[in-house]
Each structure stands twice: as C-alpha cells, then as structure tokens.
Amino acid sequence: MIPAKRVYLLLLLGIVVAPLLATIWNVPRSILVMLLFDAVILGMTIADSLMVRRHRVQIERSLPARLSIGRDNPVVLTARSLKKSAQIQICDYYPMQFAVSATTLTASLAPNSTTELTYTIHPNQRGEFGWGDLQVRQLGAWGLGWDNWKIVHNQKVKVYPDLVGLRSLSIRLTLQSAGSIRKLRQRGIGTEFAELKDYGTGDDMRLIDWKATARRNRPLVRVLEPEHEQTLIILLDRGRLMTAQVSGLKRFDWGLNATLALALAGIHRGDRVGVGVFDKQMQTWIPPARGQHQLNQLVDRLTPIQPVLLESDYIGAVTSIIKQQARRALVVLITDIVDITASAELLAALGRLTPRYLPFCVMLRDRQVDRLAHTSTNEVNPTYARAVALDLLSQRQVAFAGLKQKGVLVLDAPADLISEQLVDRYLQLKARNQL
C-alpha cells in the first residue's frame, strides 16, 4: 500500500485545523480529534488499496523478436481492466544500460477496456539482454491509496545489428530496380545481355544485332544491363581502432551495419558476397555466395562478434583474400586510420590488391573531431584540442592521397552516415561497370 497525494493533503489539513479547534475546545480535546481524524484517513487509505486487489488490471509485455542496435525499438505494454475503471502506473525493469523514452507509464482505463502503452528503448550494445518484472500501481476508487504489486514477466531478447536499416534499404533497392535498371537498359549501359527489342528513335546503332535483324526482317537492338554474378568481398576490421565509441556506438558496430548494408545491396544486384572479419589474423571468413540464404548466414554469424584491443594485421588479411579469391573482385576494407605512420601497413596492404582486384578503403570518421577542428575558441584547452583535431584531419588527407595514388578507391564519411553513402557508391560502381 502506498498513500496517494490526497492523503498527505488531508493529513496536512488536519494539522491546520487543530489550532482552530484548540481555540474552541481545550488543547487535549483538539489533539484527540486530530488523531482520530488521522486514524480514519489512514484506515480509509488501507481499505482503499486493499479493495483494488479484487479488480487488478492485467498487464502483458510485447517485445520485438530482434532488437536493432542504435535504433529506437518499441516496447508495448497491454493493459486490460476488469469491471471497474482503473488508474495505473507501470514501471518496467528494462536493461539499465540502455536509454528509454519513459521510465514510468501512466494510463486511465474505463471498465472492461484495453489500452496499449508504448515506450522505446535504444540499445547501444549487441548481445542477449533480459527484461525483469513489471512493477504496477493501481489507485483505489476513493483516490487515497495505491495498490502496489509485481507481475513476473522475465524475458530475454537479442540485440542485432541495424535490422531496421536493412529493411528500409531493401525497400529502397527494390524501388530503384523497378526504375533505374530499366533506364540503364534503355541507354545500353552495361555489359551483360538482357534481351532483344525493336529499334527505336534514340537507340545506339552500335547495339543493333544484325543477325537477328536479318532473320526477323526488322531492326533489333541488344538490351544490356550491369553485369551480375560479380564478386564482392568485404573485410571488416575488429582491431583496437574499432573499439572507440563514436556517435553513441562503437566504431565496429557502425562498420558491421555498413557491412550488412553493402552485402544486402550486393546480393540484391545478383553479386556473390563474401565477408572476412580480422584483427591479428582472419577470425571469421564467410566465402562468397549469392541469395537470401547468404544474407541470413551473414547476420547470424557476424552478430556475436565483438571488437578487441589488438593491433590489426592488414597485410595478413589481404594475403588471405588473395589466396582465397583467384577471380577479380571488388574488395572493400572497412576500418579507420589515425596518422600516416600508423597507416603505412594499410597503404602497403591495399597496394598489393591492384591491378588484379579493385580495392576500396572505407573510413569511419568521428563527427566530434570535425566539430573540434571547425570550432574557434580563445581558451587554452579548447585551442589545443582544436589543433590536435586539425592535425588528425590533415594526416588523414595525406593518407587518402597515398591510397588514391595506388589506385585505391576511398570513402571517408561520418560513422553514422557510412552505410547509406557506401551503398550509393557501390551502386555507382556497378552502373559504370568499374568492376
């Protein structure tokens, strides 16, 4: 039983009225009346909270089967009242390391009604996490006492990479396929034969199929589309630099989201996609394959992987890919760099991939460094921080120039925007037949 605010107001009223009674009666009698008044109020409060137990609301929790890291995931609490109206407060025992939109939910229910209360939870770690009991308070009919009880409702839910982003990307790619690919076919952009069609105004005469034209006695042109069944290999660094916290998540988590987004785009475009995760050595290798089964395997096998405080061996990772993959492939390495000296091995490793492969280096930039570099100040400590940030950005640009000189494609973008920009860059490569 928990007293409501009304109880404290009534008790306070008794204290205020007691001196007035003392002026009418004697002091002992006024004290006795005040104590009697308080006892009645407390008795009614206890009775009010006890009567609630006969018509307690029923509460159920509904969680998504898979939570997405870095996203607001909805948690729904369904409350059902019995024959009487109910005023309730609910506190859910969620994983305390995650941020939520509301710690306490309140609702007023009419008799025999159902309502849904929703709050969002924002996971910043992957793994399996548990929800505990539901703490419920229900106000009595007189508004004096809350009945307070727990509903046992233990649940465990896994936090995955950004599955919400993958679903949105899948819809976007499907819509693009209906329009963009058709336009590319009409322009003859591509290398893979798709179909024959009648010659029309504006078609490239170089695409006329003369043999088919002679057989059917009318001009026909070949329709080309971007080549399918090419090979895309993604190397994801899980070493020391990827353990840093960037924009609310570890840099590795942003890299993992980008890896799965790029894999989805590759599979959607008909390419064979393989993924390797490395630190001092290749820890996980998933050979290139096509189809939805490959994407499901990537999600299941990559989700449990966590970054480690080890220096990454870029040359070893690239050497492993060269041994595994004989055919030409687009090799995308997702990592980050600090300065020219620390990046020397990365430059040497990616240089080994040209010209047999098409190397693509993806860097996960920290927005905080950009803000420090572009914020003017007259104070000593912020000025020093700005100088360090400017030096880091300068050394990154020098490293990027070295990569480009070796024929390596480079993408440097904020960690929280990397997935979208990486997919767009890949689609551009496919459309231009650069692979």
Side-chain angles (χ1 to χ4, degrees), residues 279-295:
D279 44 62
K280 292 183 67 175
Q281 57 186 359
M282 188 69 72
Q283 296 293 337
T284 301
W285 170 244
I286 304 173
R290 299 174 59 197
Q292 183 63 36
H293 173 73
Q294 176 72 349
L295 181 63

Side-chain angles (χ1 to χ4, degrees), residues 59-235:
I59 310 290
E60 292 182 359
R61 182 201 297 128
S62 177
L63 284 167
R66 296 177 174 183
L67 299 180
S68 294
I69 191 172
R71 294 278 184 171
D72 288 332
N73 299 265
V75 180
V76 179
L77 302 179
T78 303
R80 297 183 181 87
S81 62
L82 299 180
K83 295 181 179 181
K84 292 188 177 182
S85 60
Q87 185 174 341
I88 59 173
Q89 296 178 351
I90 306 174
C91 182
D92 197 359
Y93 286 87
Y94 55 86
M96 297 306 295
Q97 60 267 51
F98 300 155
V100 295
S101 59
T103 56
T104 303
L105 302 174
T106 61
S108 296
L109 286 77
N112 298 311
S113 64
T114 301
T115 188
E116 290 186 349
L117 307 174
T118 303
Y119 70 92
T120 59
I121 189 162
H122 193 91
N124 57 7
Q125 302 175 36
R126 285 172 292 110
E128 188 175 62
F129 300 90
W131 266 253
D133 301 332
L134 292 164
Q135 190 75 37
V136 184
R137 291 181 183 177
Q138 183 171 342
L139 188 62
W142 300 333
L144 296 176
W146 293 90
D147 184 24
N148 185 46
W149 78 97
K150 282 186 179 181
I151 298 176
V152 178
H153 205 318
N154 296 321
Q155 284 181 274
K156 287 191 176 295
V157 178
K158 289 185 178 180
V159 178
Y160 278 72
D162 185 12
L163 301 181
V164 174
L166 290 181
R167 283 192 291 269
S168 300
L169 175 60
S170 180
I171 295 172
R172 194 188 95 182
L173 292 172
T174 301
L175 294 175
Q176 286 181 348
S177 296
S180 299
I181 298 301
R182 187 179 299 113
K183 291 180 181 179
L184 292 176
R185 286 181 175 180
Q186 291 173 353
R187 296 173 187 168
I189 299 177
T191 59
E192 192 169 277
F193 174 78
E195 60 185 357
L196 289 172
K197 76 178 187 70
D198 290 331
Y199 178 83
T201 303
D203 286 338
D204 191 344
M205 295 187 62
R206 293 174 297 178
L207 297 176
I208 295 178
D209 190 314
W210 295 107
K211 290 184 179 180
T213 297
R215 285 196 304 271
R216 301 189 185 183
N217 202 25
R218 67 179 190 274
L220 297 172
V221 294
R222 294 186 298 274
V223 178
L224 304 179
E225 64 181 2
E227 185 178 348
H228 295 296
E229 295 192 29
Q230 294 176 308
T231 302
L232 166 63
I233 294 177
I234 308 170
L235 291 176

Side-chain angles (χ1 to χ4, degrees), residues 136-421:
V136 184
R137 291 181 183 177
Q138 183 171 342
L139 188 62
W142 300 333
L144 296 176
W146 293 90
D147 184 24
N148 185 46
W149 78 97
K150 282 186 179 181
I151 298 176
V152 178
H153 205 318
N154 296 321
Q155 284 181 274
K156 287 191 176 295
V157 178
K158 289 185 178 180
V159 178
Y160 278 72
D162 185 12
L163 301 181
V164 174
L166 290 181
R167 283 192 291 269
S168 300
L169 175 60
S170 180
I171 295 172
R172 194 188 95 182
L173 292 172
T174 301
L175 294 175
Q176 286 181 348
S177 296
S180 299
I181 298 301
R182 187 179 299 113
K183 291 180 181 179
L184 292 176
R185 286 181 175 180
Q186 291 173 353
R187 296 173 187 168
I189 299 177
T191 59
E192 192 169 277
F193 174 78
E195 60 185 357
L196 289 172
K197 76 178 187 70
D198 290 331
Y199 178 83
T201 303
D203 286 338
D204 191 344
M205 295 187 62
R206 293 174 297 178
L207 297 176
I208 295 178
D209 190 314
W210 295 107
K211 290 184 179 180
T213 297
R215 285 196 304 271
R216 301 189 185 183
N217 202 25
R218 67 179 190 274
L220 297 172
V221 294
R222 294 186 298 274
V223 178
L224 304 179
E225 64 181 2
E227 185 178 348
H228 295 296
E229 295 192 29
Q230 294 176 308
T231 302
L232 166 63
I233 294 177
I234 308 170
L235 291 176
L236 177 59
D237 181 8
R238 73 159 195 163
R240 178 179 58 84
L241 293 176
M242 304 297 282
T243 62
Q245 200 81 5
V246 178
S247 299
L249 298 179
K250 291 182 180 178
R251 187 177 271 117
F252 178 80
D253 288 312
W254 292 118
L256 180 55
N257 289 342
T259 297
L260 293 175
L262 181 57
L264 172 62
I267 290 171
H268 197 275
R269 289 294 185 262
D271 287 345
R272 302 167 63 249
V273 180
V275 175
V277 182
F278 69 96
D279 44 62
K280 292 183 67 175
Q281 57 186 359
M282 188 69 72
Q283 296 293 337
T284 301
W285 170 244
I286 304 173
R290 299 174 59 197
Q292 183 63 36
H293 173 73
Q294 176 72 349
L295 181 63
N296 294 338
Q297 181 182 199
L298 291 175
V299 172
D300 291 339
R301 291 189 57 183
L302 297 180
T303 294
I305 299 176
Q306 300 292 342
V308 292
L309 289 170
L310 295 173
E311 294 298 330
S312 300
D313 183 1
Y314 299 108
I315 293 179
V318 167
T319 302
S320 176
I321 293 302
I322 293 174
K323 292 179 180 178
Q324 296 280 350
Q325 179 65 28
R327 296 174 56 188
R328 178 172 171 80
L330 171 63
V331 180
V332 180
L333 193 152
I334 301 176
T335 185
D336 195 43
I337 56 177
V338 177
D339 52 40
I340 301 174
T341 303
S343 306
E345 184 183 354
L346 175 62
L347 299 176
L350 292 176
R352 297 183 60 185
L353 292 172
T354 56
R356 183 177 177 185
Y357 306 91
L358 179 59
F360 188 180
C361 187
V362 179
M363 304 293 178
L364 304 166
R365 199 168 71 242
D366 188 351
R367 286 182 182 270
Q368 182 65 19
V369 176
D370 292 344
R371 281 194 290 268
L372 289 174
H374 297 97
T375 302
S376 299
T377 179
N378 295 323
E379 299 179 10
V380 176
N381 290 337
T383 300
Y384 176 75
R386 186 189 182 200
V388 173
L390 287 169
D391 183 59
L392 288 174
L393 293 180
S394 175
Q395 295 198 52
R396 287 174 75 91
Q397 294 303 317
V398 173
F400 296 154
L403 287 170
K404 293 176 181 178
Q405 287 179 353
K406 292 179 178 290
V408 178
L409 302 176
V410 175
L411 173 62
D412 180 35
D416 54 334
L417 299 179
I418 198 69
S419 296
E420 182 178 352
Q421 295 192 23

